[in-house]
Amino acid sequence: MDNTTSCPVPPEQRPLQEFRDLCDSWFFVWPRDTQRSLNRALLISWLLILPVSALIASGSITLRRHPLQLVLAAAVASLVLPLLLLVRQWLGWTYIHRRLMDHRIEYEESGWYDGQVWEKPLVWRQQDYLVARHQVGPILSRLARAMALAAGLMLAGAGLCQVL
């Protein structure tokens, strides 16, 4: 950032710094690299919750008598956790994207009750736009594809549960 520009926004509330903080987070780094690394993390979360879902599904007397339906119901129910993780990541990355694309920075001086707005200088807007377009944009695309896949699998699995 341009050091000659006097900025009243606290450093931790500047969009570029918020982007860096999100990139340093162990949770939000999943979709940053590739679609494959995001899918791997989601597969791991699905596999971790699958035994819990199977245990819960085994509480159904009807499903206990039909093991294939029990496994299928547990697999479909287990997709809820990866979908929730994707939604949380989507919310975080879209927030950063919106802050980077905006011409103004909304910030708080000392608390929620004293919000201020500061107009970004042109140099900051250009830099923020490039980061939003070339770094955050692909992340949002990967998240959208992963959410569509998870939702499609849920719908297909629920349909299969109805057929069987």
Side-chain angles (χ1 to χ4, degrees):
M1 295 206 180
D2 186 13
N3 292 333
T4 61
T5 305
S6 175
C7 176
V9 181
E12 66 276 358
Q13 292 183 37
R14 296 176 186 170
L16 212 48
Q17 183 57 43
E18 290 174 331
F19 168 74
R20 288 185 192 115
D21 291 343
L22 214 59
C23 288
D24 292 340
S25 166
W26 69 271
F27 178 71
F28 287 99
V29 78
W30 295 356
R32 240 185 87 214
D33 300 328
T34 61
Q35 185 74 37
R36 190 174 188 187
S37 64
L38 174 62
N39 291 344
R40 187 175 340 122
L42 294 173
L43 179 64
I44 290 169
S45 69
W46 179 74
L47 289 173
L48 287 175
I49 199 69
L50 187 60
V52 175
S53 295
L55 182 65
I56 293 170
S58 70
S60 168
I61 294 171
T62 307
L63 286 178
R64 246 189 267 163
R65 293 184 189 145
H66 302 87
L68 179 63
Q69 287 179 338
L70 182 130
V71 170
L72 187 59
V76 170
S78 297
L79 287 170
V80 170
L81 178 67
L83 197 57
L84 289 174
L85 294 174
L86 284 169
V87 167
R88 176 61 188 107
Q89 288 187 347
W90 177 265
L91 291 172
W93 285 108
T94 54
Y95 170 77
I96 292 300
H97 189 263
R98 183 185 57 81
R99 299 259 300 162
L100 287 167
M101 293 297 287
D102 202 357
H103 295 319
R104 300 173 299 148
I105 301 175
E106 296 175 10
Y107 68 98
E108 300 165 357
E109 290 181 345
S110 60
W112 61 268
Y113 48 84
D114 64 348
Q116 303 291 328
V117 177
W118 183 68
E119 189 77 24
K120 290 181 190 176
L122 182 60
V123 174
W124 287 33
R125 278 188 280 184
Q126 291 170 340
Q127 184 178 12
D128 287 357
Y129 175 77
L130 288 172
V131 170
R133 181 166 166 97
H134 297 289
Q135 291 187 20
V136 180
I139 291 170
L140 291 173
S141 295
R142 283 191 281 278
L143 285 171
R145 282 192 301 271
M147 283 193 297
L149 176 67
L153 286 172
M154 274 186 99
L155 289 173
L160 255 165
C161 285
Q162 293 296 320
V163 171
L164 295 177

